[in-house]
Amino acid sequence: MPQHNHAPIRICPNCSGFASVAIATGVRLRDGSRDTVPVNCQPCNGTGTIARPLATAKAV
């Protein structure tokens, strides 16, 4: 059977693939847990991967 070679996934260099995180604000809630804010990586829109750059021809 033929095997397919798919293009390797390019991990976002800004977030290293960890696109969504929860940052603690330092405030504690009534139950004792910490208040967190979800944040997504802006360059990759929270996916953790980026598109392969298009090939461009350089004029010599």
Side-chain angles (χ1 to χ4, degrees):
M1 294 197 105
Q3 296 197 5
H4 302 285
N5 283 340
H6 297 286
I9 296 175
R10 297 202 41 164
I11 296 176
C12 176
N14 296 304
C15 65
S16 298
F18 295 96
S20 295
V21 296
I23 298 175
T25 61
V27 177
R28 288 201 181 264
L29 301 176
R30 287 181 174 237
D31 64 355
S33 63
R34 293 200 181 263
D35 187 24
T36 58
V37 177
V39 180
N40 290 330
C41 177
Q42 290 180 352
C44 68
N45 295 322
T47 61
T49 60
I50 58 172
R52 184 171 290 278
L54 298 174
T56 57
K58 291 185 177 182
V60 181

